[in-house]
Amino acid sequence: MKKVLALTLAIVMVASIALFAGCGETGTTSSGSDTKTEAKTYVIYSDNAFAPFEYLDTKTKKYVGVDMDIMEAVAKDQGFEYEMHNEGFDASMGAVQSGQADGMIAGMTINDERKKTFDFSEPYFDDGQVIVAKKGTTLDDLKGKTVAVKNGTAGKDYAEEVKDQYGYTINYYKDSPSMYQAVKTGIDVACFEDFSVIGYSIKTGEVDLEILNDEPFNVKGYGFAVKKGKNAELLKMFDAGLKNIKDNGKLKEILAKYGY
Ligand code: ASN
């Protein structure tokens, strides 16, 4: 009799452990086949000084901008949680590749080279790069000088590509303000930056530089990115949310808020 009781107890214990384990693993609030997985807080990385896409609002000490608003609107639409880390562009790419971040939104140009290591959302904005210098500089003035680029960017890739054509050498910087500063102080004769970003800073009077080329080069879409083959569910939610905010006018509203 004792043996039977002990056995029954053991079975009950094993069964309840299995039940608990099951709950812990999937975090289900199950009712039949309608199971929901436990809410995850996604880690999203971004650039830190790329107005109007992401920049520190000195009054509120919070990062604001087009990308910050898009991420918020998409997450709200899709009902997921995230935390934003504004660590810089190159750092964001590194964080996504190392798995430290689940995704990034940083005015990131969608191109074929990056598609080898990232999966991108649908585009939400189009932009290309321009060459920027002190007023009165011409493209001929680049010869024999140094130009500034930001690590890891599409502008950097383009500057490397056409370097012999213009005859300059390249200095590498970690963020956009350091690049502008190097041009202002004369360390470098020019820098390469996304057209709408430098255009915004010139317009607001933040940066007293001039765009040298008539048309931006390599105009391409900006997209949200995850590591290739990873976080497919996050990318799917981003795309679904992006479609909704495109359809319901929210994206237009966000862009208008920042002057587009
Ligand atoms: N458009 C830039 C790039 O994709 C992004 C940036 O500088 N934040 O390289």
Side-chain angles (χ1 to χ4, degrees), residues 46-50 53-54 67 88-90 93 104-111 114 120 127-129 150-157 176 179 193-194 197 221-222:
S46 184
D47 206 340
N48 55 357
F50 202 58
F53 289 88
E54 42 269 344
D67 287 339
F89 186 72
D90 206 35
M93 292 207 296
M104 66 184 281
I105 183 161
M108 186 175 186
T109 305
I110 304 170
N111 64 33
R114 288 177 177 165
F120 286 97
D127 204 9
Q129 288 78 44
K150 184 166 78 179
N151 286 331
T153 59
K156 179 220 80 155
D157 292 340
S176 292
M179 243 184 358
E193 180 62 297
D194 286 18
V197 171
Y222 280 177

PDB file of all heavy atoms in Angstrom, residues 46-50 53-54 67 88-90 93 104-111 114 120 127-129 150-157 176 179 193-194 197 221-222, ligand 1:
ATOM      1  N   SER A  46      20.204  52.023 -32.819  1.00  0.00           N
ATOM      2  CA  SER A  46      20.081  53.096 -33.794  1.00  0.00           C
ATOM      3  C   SER A  46      21.304  54.004 -33.756  1.00  0.00           C
ATOM      4  O   SER A  46      22.142  53.903 -32.861  1.00  0.00           O
ATOM      5  CB  SER A  46      18.816  53.920 -33.507  1.00  0.00           C
ATOM      6  OG  SER A  46      18.642  54.908 -34.497  1.00  0.00           O
ATOM      7  N   ASP A  47      21.345  54.890 -34.729  1.00  0.00           N
ATOM      8  CA  ASP A  47      22.375  55.922 -34.757  1.00  0.00           C
ATOM      9  C   ASP A  47      22.079  56.906 -33.614  1.00  0.00           C
ATOM     10  O   ASP A  47      20.998  56.866 -33.008  1.00  0.00           O
ATOM     11  CB  ASP A  47      22.330  56.631 -36.127  1.00  0.00           C
ATOM     12  CG  ASP A  47      23.662  57.242 -36.511  1.00  0.00           C
ATOM     13  OD1 ASP A  47      24.491  57.459 -35.617  1.00  0.00           O
ATOM     14  OD2 ASP A  47      23.873  57.517 -37.704  1.00  0.00           O
ATOM     15  N   ASN A  48      23.041  57.796 -33.328  1.00  0.00           N
ATOM     16  CA  ASN A  48      22.833  58.725 -32.209  1.00  0.00           C
ATOM     17  C   ASN A  48      22.840  60.202 -32.595  1.00  0.00           C
ATOM     18  O   ASN A  48      22.452  61.047 -31.795  1.00  0.00           O
ATOM     19  CB  ASN A  48      23.863  58.476 -31.102  1.00  0.00           C
ATOM     20  CG  ASN A  48      25.281  58.540 -31.632  1.00  0.00           C
ATOM     21  OD1 ASN A  48      25.486  58.720 -32.834  1.00  0.00           O
ATOM     22  ND2 ASN A  48      26.258  58.401 -30.762  1.00  0.00           N
ATOM     23  N   ALA A  49      23.314  60.509 -33.797  1.00  0.00           N
ATOM     24  CA  ALA A  49      23.344  61.918 -34.208  1.00  0.00           C
ATOM     25  C   ALA A  49      23.103  61.977 -35.708  1.00  0.00           C
ATOM     26  O   ALA A  49      24.023  62.170 -36.493  1.00  0.00           O
ATOM     27  CB  ALA A  49      24.685  62.548 -33.855  1.00  0.00           C
ATOM     28  N   PHE A  50      21.855  61.768 -36.090  1.00  0.00           N
ATOM     29  CA  PHE A  50      21.507  61.668 -37.499  1.00  0.00           C
ATOM     30  C   PHE A  50      20.150  62.353 -37.730  1.00  0.00           C
ATOM     31  O   PHE A  50      19.198  61.761 -38.217  1.00  0.00           O
ATOM     32  CB  PHE A  50      21.460  60.175 -37.879  1.00  0.00           C
ATOM     33  CG  PHE A  50      21.618  59.873 -39.341  1.00  0.00           C
ATOM     34  CD1 PHE A  50      22.734  60.282 -40.044  1.00  0.00           C
ATOM     35  CD2 PHE A  50      20.642  59.129 -40.017  1.00  0.00           C
ATOM     36  CE1 PHE A  50      22.882  59.976 -41.392  1.00  0.00           C
ATOM     37  CE2 PHE A  50      20.784  58.815 -41.356  1.00  0.00           C
ATOM     38  CZ  PHE A  50      21.905  59.238 -42.043  1.00  0.00           C
ATOM     39  N   PHE A  53      16.441  61.889 -38.332  1.00  0.00           N
ATOM     40  CA  PHE A  53      16.028  60.487 -38.153  1.00  0.00           C
ATOM     41  C   PHE A  53      16.190  60.018 -36.713  1.00  0.00           C
ATOM     42  O   PHE A  53      15.361  59.286 -36.200  1.00  0.00           O
ATOM     43  CB  PHE A  53      16.749  59.583 -39.160  1.00  0.00           C
ATOM     44  CG  PHE A  53      16.224  59.818 -40.546  1.00  0.00           C
ATOM     45  CD1 PHE A  53      16.780  60.797 -41.346  1.00  0.00           C
ATOM     46  CD2 PHE A  53      15.115  59.132 -41.000  1.00  0.00           C
ATOM     47  CE1 PHE A  53      16.246  61.084 -42.594  1.00  0.00           C
ATOM     48  CE2 PHE A  53      14.570  59.404 -42.250  1.00  0.00           C
ATOM     49  CZ  PHE A  53      15.140  60.387 -43.048  1.00  0.00           C
ATOM     50  N   GLU A  54      17.311  60.419 -36.083  1.00  0.00           N
ATOM     51  CA  GLU A  54      17.480  60.153 -34.642  1.00  0.00           C
ATOM     52  C   GLU A  54      18.474  61.154 -34.087  1.00  0.00           C
ATOM     53  O   GLU A  54      19.555  61.321 -34.647  1.00  0.00           O
ATOM     54  CB  GLU A  54      17.963  58.715 -34.341  1.00  0.00           C
ATOM     55  CG  GLU A  54      19.040  58.180 -35.270  1.00  0.00           C
ATOM     56  CD  GLU A  54      18.449  57.446 -36.453  1.00  0.00           C
ATOM     57  OE1 GLU A  54      17.260  57.103 -36.401  1.00  0.00           O
ATOM     58  OE2 GLU A  54      19.162  57.229 -37.435  1.00  0.00           O
ATOM     59  N   ASP A  67      12.878  57.970 -37.262  1.00  0.00           N
ATOM     60  CA  ASP A  67      13.012  56.537 -36.953  1.00  0.00           C
ATOM     61  C   ASP A  67      12.439  56.190 -35.587  1.00  0.00           C
ATOM     62  O   ASP A  67      11.838  55.118 -35.405  1.00  0.00           O
ATOM     63  CB  ASP A  67      14.492  56.119 -36.981  1.00  0.00           C
ATOM     64  CG  ASP A  67      15.034  56.047 -38.396  1.00  0.00           C
ATOM     65  OD1 ASP A  67      14.242  55.924 -39.341  1.00  0.00           O
ATOM     66  OD2 ASP A  67      16.275  56.119 -38.551  1.00  0.00           O
ATOM     67  N   GLY A  88      25.027  54.712 -32.204  1.00  0.00           N
ATOM     68  CA  GLY A  88      25.827  55.037 -33.391  1.00  0.00           C
ATOM     69  C   GLY A  88      25.570  54.024 -34.493  1.00  0.00           C
ATOM     70  O   GLY A  88      25.092  52.922 -34.232  1.00  0.00           O
ATOM     71  N   PHE A  89      25.898  54.422 -35.743  1.00  0.00           N
ATOM     72  CA  PHE A  89      25.533  53.572 -36.877  1.00  0.00           C
ATOM     73  C   PHE A  89      26.361  52.289 -36.954  1.00  0.00           C
ATOM     74  O   PHE A  89      25.812  51.188 -37.033  1.00  0.00           O
ATOM     75  CB  PHE A  89      25.656  54.354 -38.192  1.00  0.00           C
ATOM     76  CG  PHE A  89      25.141  53.557 -39.349  1.00  0.00           C
ATOM     77  CD1 PHE A  89      23.780  53.337 -39.504  1.00  0.00           C
ATOM     78  CD2 PHE A  89      26.014  52.991 -40.263  1.00  0.00           C
ATOM     79  CE1 PHE A  89      23.292  52.568 -40.549  1.00  0.00           C
ATOM     80  CE2 PHE A  89      25.531  52.221 -41.314  1.00  0.00           C
ATOM     81  CZ  PHE A  89      24.175  52.012 -41.463  1.00  0.00           C
ATOM     82  N   ASP A  90      27.671  52.424 -36.929  1.00  0.00           N
ATOM     83  CA  ASP A  90      28.541  51.251 -37.049  1.00  0.00           C
ATOM     84  C   ASP A  90      28.325  50.300 -35.868  1.00  0.00           C
ATOM     85  O   ASP A  90      28.272  49.081 -36.036  1.00  0.00           O
ATOM     86  CB  ASP A  90      30.003  51.719 -37.119  1.00  0.00           C
ATOM     87  CG  ASP A  90      30.871  50.711 -37.847  1.00  0.00           C
ATOM     88  OD1 ASP A  90      30.378  50.078 -38.800  1.00  0.00           O
ATOM     89  OD2 ASP A  90      32.040  50.546 -37.450  1.00  0.00           O
ATOM     90  N   MET A  93      25.219  48.229 -36.417  1.00  0.00           N
ATOM     91  CA  MET A  93      25.408  47.099 -37.342  1.00  0.00           C
ATOM     92  C   MET A  93      26.138  45.956 -36.621  1.00  0.00           C
ATOM     93  O   MET A  93      25.782  44.795 -36.780  1.00  0.00           O
ATOM     94  CB  MET A  93      26.183  47.547 -38.587  1.00  0.00           C
ATOM     95  CG  MET A  93      25.386  48.494 -39.461  1.00  0.00           C
ATOM     96  SD  MET A  93      25.860  48.428 -41.199  1.00  0.00           S
ATOM     97  CE  MET A  93      27.525  48.999 -41.123  1.00  0.00           C
ATOM     98  N   MET A 104      17.714  46.906 -36.109  1.00  0.00           N
ATOM     99  CA  MET A 104      18.167  48.303 -36.083  1.00  0.00           C
ATOM    100  C   MET A 104      17.332  49.152 -37.031  1.00  0.00           C
ATOM    101  O   MET A 104      16.855  48.676 -38.054  1.00  0.00           O
ATOM    102  CB  MET A 104      19.656  48.414 -36.429  1.00  0.00           C
ATOM    103  CG  MET A 104      20.042  48.024 -37.838  1.00  0.00           C
ATOM    104  SD  MET A 104      21.851  48.092 -38.089  1.00  0.00           S
ATOM    105  CE  MET A 104      22.115  49.861 -38.304  1.00  0.00           C
ATOM    106  N   ILE A 105      17.145  50.420 -36.610  1.00  0.00           N
ATOM    107  CA  ILE A 105      16.493  51.404 -37.472  1.00  0.00           C
ATOM    108  C   ILE A 105      17.339  52.660 -37.375  1.00  0.00           C
ATOM    109  O   ILE A 105      17.461  53.256 -36.319  1.00  0.00           O
ATOM    110  CB  ILE A 105      15.010  51.623 -37.086  1.00  0.00           C
ATOM    111  CG1 ILE A 105      14.341  52.592 -38.063  1.00  0.00           C
ATOM    112  CG2 ILE A 105      14.846  52.105 -35.640  1.00  0.00           C
ATOM    113  CD1 ILE A 105      12.819  52.526 -38.067  1.00  0.00           C
ATOM    114  N   ALA A 106      18.012  53.030 -38.468  1.00  0.00           N
ATOM    115  CA  ALA A 106      19.016  54.099 -38.376  1.00  0.00           C
ATOM    116  C   ALA A 106      19.205  54.793 -39.726  1.00  0.00           C
ATOM    117  O   ALA A 106      20.321  55.022 -40.152  1.00  0.00           O
ATOM    118  CB  ALA A 106      20.343  53.512 -37.896  1.00  0.00           C
ATOM    119  N   GLY A 107      18.091  55.089 -40.393  1.00  0.00           N
ATOM    120  CA  GLY A 107      18.210  55.671 -41.729  1.00  0.00           C
ATOM    121  C   GLY A 107      19.091  54.797 -42.597  1.00  0.00           C
ATOM    122  O   GLY A 107      19.888  55.285 -43.383  1.00  0.00           O
ATOM    123  N   MET A 108      18.934  53.484 -42.437  1.00  0.00           N
ATOM    124  CA  MET A 108      19.871  52.533 -43.049  1.00  0.00           C
ATOM    125  C   MET A 108      19.522  52.263 -44.510  1.00  0.00           C
ATOM    126  O   MET A 108      18.417  51.802 -44.824  1.00  0.00           O
ATOM    127  CB  MET A 108      19.864  51.232 -42.251  1.00  0.00           C
ATOM    128  CG  MET A 108      20.891  50.235 -42.719  1.00  0.00           C
ATOM    129  SD  MET A 108      20.867  48.812 -41.607  1.00  0.00           S
ATOM    130  CE  MET A 108      22.260  47.885 -42.232  1.00  0.00           C
ATOM    131  N   THR A 109      20.471  52.563 -45.366  1.00  0.00           N
ATOM    132  CA  THR A 109      20.303  52.377 -46.798  1.00  0.00           C
ATOM    133  C   THR A 109      20.249  50.878 -47.133  1.00  0.00           C
ATOM    134  O   THR A 109      21.122  50.119 -46.717  1.00  0.00           O
ATOM    135  CB  THR A 109      21.492  53.031 -47.533  1.00  0.00           C
ATOM    136  OG1 THR A 109      21.571  54.394 -47.103  1.00  0.00           O
ATOM    137  CG2 THR A 109      21.344  52.960 -49.036  1.00  0.00           C
ATOM    138  N   ILE A 110      19.225  50.497 -47.873  1.00  0.00           N
ATOM    139  CA  ILE A 110      19.095  49.095 -48.305  1.00  0.00           C
ATOM    140  C   ILE A 110      19.939  48.923 -49.569  1.00  0.00           C
ATOM    141  O   ILE A 110      19.701  49.596 -50.567  1.00  0.00           O
ATOM    142  CB  ILE A 110      17.617  48.758 -48.628  1.00  0.00           C
ATOM    143  CG1 ILE A 110      16.716  49.060 -47.421  1.00  0.00           C
ATOM    144  CG2 ILE A 110      17.482  47.315 -49.086  1.00  0.00           C
ATOM    145  CD1 ILE A 110      15.217  48.995 -47.724  1.00  0.00           C
ATOM    146  N   ASN A 111      20.949  48.082 -49.512  1.00  0.00           N
ATOM    147  CA  ASN A 111      21.716  47.812 -50.740  1.00  0.00           C
ATOM    148  C   ASN A 111      22.121  46.343 -50.811  1.00  0.00           C
ATOM    149  O   ASN A 111      21.997  45.603 -49.831  1.00  0.00           O
ATOM    150  CB  ASN A 111      22.917  48.765 -50.876  1.00  0.00           C
ATOM    151  CG  ASN A 111      23.941  48.592 -49.775  1.00  0.00           C
ATOM    152  OD1 ASN A 111      24.149  47.494 -49.270  1.00  0.00           O
ATOM    153  ND2 ASN A 111      24.592  49.692 -49.386  1.00  0.00           N
ATOM    154  N   ARG A 114      24.774  44.873 -48.298  1.00  0.00           N
ATOM    155  CA  ARG A 114      24.233  44.642 -46.945  1.00  0.00           C
ATOM    156  C   ARG A 114      23.251  43.477 -46.906  1.00  0.00           C
ATOM    157  O   ARG A 114      23.097  42.836 -45.868  1.00  0.00           O
ATOM    158  CB  ARG A 114      23.574  45.924 -46.433  1.00  0.00           C
ATOM    159  CG  ARG A 114      24.595  46.979 -46.072  1.00  0.00           C
ATOM    160  CD  ARG A 114      23.950  48.264 -45.636  1.00  0.00           C
ATOM    161  NE  ARG A 114      24.965  49.222 -45.228  1.00  0.00           N
ATOM    162  CZ  ARG A 114      24.752  50.513 -45.072  1.00  0.00           C
ATOM    163  NH1 ARG A 114      23.549  51.000 -45.296  1.00  0.00           N
ATOM    164  NH2 ARG A 114      25.728  51.308 -44.700  1.00  0.00           N
ATOM    165  N   PHE A 120      16.120  43.040 -44.735  1.00  0.00           N
ATOM    166  CA  PHE A 120      15.519  44.376 -44.619  1.00  0.00           C
ATOM    167  C   PHE A 120      14.001  44.354 -44.730  1.00  0.00           C
ATOM    168  O   PHE A 120      13.424  43.506 -45.416  1.00  0.00           O
ATOM    169  CB  PHE A 120      16.045  45.280 -45.735  1.00  0.00           C
ATOM    170  CG  PHE A 120      17.458  45.741 -45.525  1.00  0.00           C
ATOM    171  CD1 PHE A 120      18.517  45.076 -46.135  1.00  0.00           C
ATOM    172  CD2 PHE A 120      17.740  46.832 -44.718  1.00  0.00           C
ATOM    173  CE1 PHE A 120      19.833  45.490 -45.949  1.00  0.00           C
ATOM    174  CE2 PHE A 120      19.038  47.255 -44.519  1.00  0.00           C
ATOM    175  CZ  PHE A 120      20.091  46.591 -45.136  1.00  0.00           C
ATOM    176  N   ASP A 127      16.704  58.028 -50.042  1.00  0.00           N
ATOM    177  CA  ASP A 127      17.738  59.057 -49.951  1.00  0.00           C
ATOM    178  C   ASP A 127      19.041  58.555 -50.577  1.00  0.00           C
ATOM    179  O   ASP A 127      19.259  57.360 -50.738  1.00  0.00           O
ATOM    180  CB  ASP A 127      17.984  59.461 -48.494  1.00  0.00           C
ATOM    181  CG  ASP A 127      18.572  60.862 -48.373  1.00  0.00           C
ATOM    182  OD1 ASP A 127      18.627  61.573 -49.398  1.00  0.00           O
ATOM    183  OD2 ASP A 127      18.969  61.261 -47.262  1.00  0.00           O
ATOM    184  N   GLY A 128      19.899  59.521 -50.918  1.00  0.00           N
ATOM    185  CA  GLY A 128      21.225  59.206 -51.440  1.00  0.00           C
ATOM    186  C   GLY A 128      22.248  60.086 -50.749  1.00  0.00           C
ATOM    187  O   GLY A 128      21.899  60.832 -49.826  1.00  0.00           O
ATOM    188  N   GLN A 129      23.495  60.008 -51.166  1.00  0.00           N
ATOM    189  CA  GLN A 129      24.548  60.767 -50.487  1.00  0.00           C
ATOM    190  C   GLN A 129      25.011  61.970 -51.307  1.00  0.00           C
ATOM    191  O   GLN A 129      24.861  61.992 -52.526  1.00  0.00           O
ATOM    192  CB  GLN A 129      25.761  59.867 -50.200  1.00  0.00           C
ATOM    193  CG  GLN A 129      25.509  58.852 -49.091  1.00  0.00           C
ATOM    194  CD  GLN A 129      24.689  57.665 -49.546  1.00  0.00           C
ATOM    195  OE1 GLN A 129      24.935  57.119 -50.616  1.00  0.00           O
ATOM    196  NE2 GLN A 129      23.719  57.270 -48.757  1.00  0.00           N
ATOM    197  N   LYS A 150      31.852  58.572 -42.397  1.00  0.00           N
ATOM    198  CA  LYS A 150      31.428  57.927 -41.145  1.00  0.00           C
ATOM    199  C   LYS A 150      31.522  56.410 -41.297  1.00  0.00           C
ATOM    200  O   LYS A 150      31.006  55.852 -42.272  1.00  0.00           O
ATOM    201  CB  LYS A 150      29.992  58.347 -40.814  1.00  0.00           C
ATOM    202  CG  LYS A 150      29.496  57.801 -39.490  1.00  0.00           C
ATOM    203  CD  LYS A 150      28.226  58.518 -39.045  1.00  0.00           C
ATOM    204  CE  LYS A 150      27.015  58.028 -39.779  1.00  0.00           C
ATOM    205  NZ  LYS A 150      25.784  58.686 -39.339  1.00  0.00           N
ATOM    206  N   ASN A 151      32.188  55.782 -40.332  1.00  0.00           N
ATOM    207  CA  ASN A 151      32.405  54.324 -40.356  1.00  0.00           C
ATOM    208  C   ASN A 151      31.156  53.534 -40.726  1.00  0.00           C
ATOM    209  O   ASN A 151      30.085  53.762 -40.165  1.00  0.00           O
ATOM    210  CB  ASN A 151      32.844  53.840 -38.965  1.00  0.00           C
ATOM    211  CG  ASN A 151      34.263  54.230 -38.663  1.00  0.00           C
ATOM    212  OD1 ASN A 151      35.092  54.359 -39.563  1.00  0.00           O
ATOM    213  ND2 ASN A 151      34.554  54.435 -37.386  1.00  0.00           N
ATOM    214  N   GLY A 152      31.325  52.600 -41.628  1.00  0.00           N
ATOM    215  CA  GLY A 152      30.274  51.636 -41.933  1.00  0.00           C
ATOM    216  C   GLY A 152      29.161  52.128 -42.846  1.00  0.00           C
ATOM    217  O   GLY A 152      28.252  51.372 -43.171  1.00  0.00           O
ATOM    218  N   THR A 153      29.210  53.393 -43.261  1.00  0.00           N
ATOM    219  CA  THR A 153      28.057  53.951 -43.980  1.00  0.00           C
ATOM    220  C   THR A 153      28.138  53.788 -45.503  1.00  0.00           C
ATOM    221  O   THR A 153      29.191  53.519 -46.073  1.00  0.00           O
ATOM    222  CB  THR A 153      27.914  55.457 -43.681  1.00  0.00           C
ATOM    223  OG1 THR A 153      29.125  56.113 -44.095  1.00  0.00           O
ATOM    224  CG2 THR A 153      27.685  55.714 -42.215  1.00  0.00           C
ATOM    225  N   ALA A 154      26.986  54.026 -46.125  1.00  0.00           N
ATOM    226  CA  ALA A 154      26.895  54.004 -47.579  1.00  0.00           C
ATOM    227  C   ALA A 154      27.742  55.146 -48.157  1.00  0.00           C
ATOM    228  O   ALA A 154      28.337  55.001 -49.229  1.00  0.00           O
ATOM    229  CB  ALA A 154      25.437  54.151 -47.998  1.00  0.00           C
ATOM    230  N   GLY A 155      27.797  56.273 -47.440  1.00  0.00           N
ATOM    231  CA  GLY A 155      28.630  57.402 -47.866  1.00  0.00           C
ATOM    232  C   GLY A 155      30.101  57.022 -47.893  1.00  0.00           C
ATOM    233  O   GLY A 155      30.849  57.397 -48.796  1.00  0.00           O
ATOM    234  N   LYS A 156      30.516  56.247 -46.900  1.00  0.00           N
ATOM    235  CA  LYS A 156      31.899  55.752 -46.825  1.00  0.00           C
ATOM    236  C   LYS A 156      32.193  54.855 -48.024  1.00  0.00           C
ATOM    237  O   LYS A 156      33.225  54.985 -48.686  1.00  0.00           O
ATOM    238  CB  LYS A 156      32.105  54.984 -45.512  1.00  0.00           C
ATOM    239  CG  LYS A 156      33.484  54.417 -45.333  1.00  0.00           C
ATOM    240  CD  LYS A 156      33.463  53.033 -44.705  1.00  0.00           C
ATOM    241  CE  LYS A 156      33.154  51.991 -45.695  1.00  0.00           C
ATOM    242  NZ  LYS A 156      33.578  50.645 -45.496  1.00  0.00           N
ATOM    243  N   ASP A 157      31.275  53.955 -48.329  1.00  0.00           N
ATOM    244  CA  ASP A 157      31.469  53.036 -49.466  1.00  0.00           C
ATOM    245  C   ASP A 157      31.629  53.823 -50.767  1.00  0.00           C
ATOM    246  O   ASP A 157      32.513  53.531 -51.571  1.00  0.00           O
ATOM    247  CB  ASP A 157      30.272  52.080 -49.612  1.00  0.00           C
ATOM    248  CG  ASP A 157      30.178  51.096 -48.451  1.00  0.00           C
ATOM    249  OD1 ASP A 157      31.204  50.904 -47.766  1.00  0.00           O
ATOM    250  OD2 ASP A 157      29.097  50.538 -48.233  1.00  0.00           O
ATOM    251  N   SER A 176      28.387  61.506 -37.331  1.00  0.00           N
ATOM    252  CA  SER A 176      28.238  62.621 -38.271  1.00  0.00           C
ATOM    253  C   SER A 176      28.785  63.940 -37.714  1.00  0.00           C
ATOM    254  O   SER A 176      29.509  64.646 -38.427  1.00  0.00           O
ATOM    255  CB  SER A 176      26.773  62.770 -38.691  1.00  0.00           C
ATOM    256  OG  SER A 176      26.399  61.668 -39.480  1.00  0.00           O
ATOM    257  N   MET A 179      32.449  64.336 -38.185  1.00  0.00           N
ATOM    258  CA  MET A 179      32.767  64.571 -39.597  1.00  0.00           C
ATOM    259  C   MET A 179      32.596  66.042 -39.956  1.00  0.00           C
ATOM    260  O   MET A 179      33.473  66.656 -40.551  1.00  0.00           O
ATOM    261  CB  MET A 179      31.741  63.777 -40.433  1.00  0.00           C
ATOM    262  CG  MET A 179      32.313  62.726 -41.251  1.00  0.00           C
ATOM    263  SD  MET A 179      31.146  61.849 -42.332  1.00  0.00           S
ATOM    264  CE  MET A 179      29.506  62.411 -42.134  1.00  0.00           C
ATOM    265  N   GLU A 193      27.768  62.606 -46.823  1.00  0.00           N
ATOM    266  CA  GLU A 193      26.635  62.442 -45.895  1.00  0.00           C
ATOM    267  C   GLU A 193      25.341  62.256 -46.673  1.00  0.00           C
ATOM    268  O   GLU A 193      25.259  62.637 -47.853  1.00  0.00           O
ATOM    269  CB  GLU A 193      26.548  63.696 -45.004  1.00  0.00           C
ATOM    270  CG  GLU A 193      25.437  63.710 -43.982  1.00  0.00           C
ATOM    271  CD  GLU A 193      25.545  62.598 -42.942  1.00  0.00           C
ATOM    272  OE1 GLU A 193      25.465  61.416 -43.329  1.00  0.00           O
ATOM    273  OE2 GLU A 193      25.691  62.904 -41.745  1.00  0.00           O
ATOM    274  N   ASP A 194      24.339  61.677 -46.026  1.00  0.00           N
ATOM    275  CA  ASP A 194      23.040  61.522 -46.679  1.00  0.00           C
ATOM    276  C   ASP A 194      22.432  62.906 -46.921  1.00  0.00           C
ATOM    277  O   ASP A 194      22.468  63.781 -46.052  1.00  0.00           O
ATOM    278  CB  ASP A 194      22.103  60.667 -45.814  1.00  0.00           C
ATOM    279  CG  ASP A 194      22.488  59.195 -45.857  1.00  0.00           C
ATOM    280  OD1 ASP A 194      23.636  58.888 -46.249  1.00  0.00           O
ATOM    281  OD2 ASP A 194      21.647  58.350 -45.504  1.00  0.00           O
ATOM    282  N   VAL A 197      19.804  64.396 -44.499  1.00  0.00           N
ATOM    283  CA  VAL A 197      20.332  64.633 -43.153  1.00  0.00           C
ATOM    284  C   VAL A 197      21.147  65.923 -43.120  1.00  0.00           C
ATOM    285  O   VAL A 197      20.883  66.813 -42.303  1.00  0.00           O
ATOM    286  CB  VAL A 197      21.158  63.409 -42.689  1.00  0.00           C
ATOM    287  CG1 VAL A 197      21.910  63.695 -41.408  1.00  0.00           C
ATOM    288  CG2 VAL A 197      20.226  62.221 -42.513  1.00  0.00           C
ATOM    289  N   GLY A 221      16.289  53.117 -50.850  1.00  0.00           N
ATOM    290  CA  GLY A 221      15.371  53.146 -49.717  1.00  0.00           C
ATOM    291  C   GLY A 221      16.089  52.970 -48.385  1.00  0.00           C
ATOM    292  O   GLY A 221      17.154  52.365 -48.316  1.00  0.00           O
ATOM    293  N   TYR A 222      15.489  53.527 -47.332  1.00  0.00           N
ATOM    294  CA  TYR A 222      15.917  53.258 -45.960  1.00  0.00           C
ATOM    295  C   TYR A 222      15.035  52.120 -45.440  1.00  0.00           C
ATOM    296  O   TYR A 222      13.826  52.120 -45.665  1.00  0.00           O
ATOM    297  CB  TYR A 222      15.642  54.460 -45.055  1.00  0.00           C
ATOM    298  CG  TYR A 222      16.617  55.611 -45.090  1.00  0.00           C
ATOM    299  CD1 TYR A 222      16.358  56.749 -44.323  1.00  0.00           C
ATOM    300  CD2 TYR A 222      17.778  55.599 -45.860  1.00  0.00           C
ATOM    301  CE1 TYR A 222      17.229  57.831 -44.320  1.00  0.00           C
ATOM    302  CE2 TYR A 222      18.646  56.672 -45.863  1.00  0.00           C
ATOM    303  CZ  TYR A 222      18.369  57.793 -45.090  1.00  0.00           C
ATOM    304  OH  TYR A 222      19.223  58.861 -45.080  1.00  0.00           O
TER     305      TYR A 222
HETATM  306  N1  ASN B   1      22.239  56.012 -44.680  1.00  0.00           N
HETATM  307  C1  ASN B   1      23.345  55.669 -43.807  1.00  0.00           C
HETATM  308  C2  ASN B   1      23.831  54.303 -44.263  1.00  0.00           C
HETATM  309  O1  ASN B   1      23.003  53.458 -44.501  1.00  0.00           O
HETATM  310  C3  ASN B   1      22.891  55.554 -42.374  1.00  0.00           C
HETATM  311  C4  ASN B   1      23.520  56.419 -41.340  1.00  0.00           C
HETATM  312  O2  ASN B   1      24.504  57.063 -41.537  1.00  0.00           O
HETATM  313  N2  ASN B   1      22.917  56.412 -40.173  1.00  0.00           N
HETATM  314  O3  ASN B   1      24.985  54.040 -44.367  1.00  0.00           O
END
